[in-house]
Amino acid sequence: NVTVATLPCFFCGQEAPDGLAIAHIAICGLCHERLVRSCPGDPDYDVWVRRLRAFWQGLAEAAISQD
C-alpha cells in the first residue's frame, strides 16, 4: 500500500509525510505552503508555474494510462 510518506515530493524530491498525494503524486507540506504563498511578483514564481504545469500533465498522463 502506497502512503504519502513513501512517495517523494514532486517538486523537491524529499519524502512527503506531512503532505498530500493525488494519484500517486505527492506534494510535501513545505512545497505546498510555498506554492500557496507564491505571487506573480516573486522571483521564483515562473519556476513554480512550470512545475505545476508538469504536475498536472503527470496527473493527466496517469489518468490516461489507467483507461
Side-chain angles (χ1 to χ4, degrees):
N1 193 12
V2 177
T3 65
V4 176
T6 61
L7 294 171
C9 174
F10 180 83
F11 295 100
C12 71
Q14 300 298 314
E15 288 185 1
D18 60 341
L20 62 112
I22 304 170
H24 299 290
I25 298 175
I27 303 173
C28 73
L30 182 58
C31 286
H32 179 258
E33 183 71 23
R34 288 178 178 169
L35 182 60
V36 169
R37 293 184 183 274
S38 66
C39 296
D42 293 345
D44 59 349
Y45 182 78
D46 290 335
V47 173
W48 284 108
V49 169
R50 283 192 302 273
R51 289 177 179 172
L52 198 53
R53 283 184 183 144
F55 174 80
W56 287 114
Q57 183 176 1
L59 285 179
E61 290 171 1
I64 290 169
S65 70
Q66 290 180 353
D67 288 343

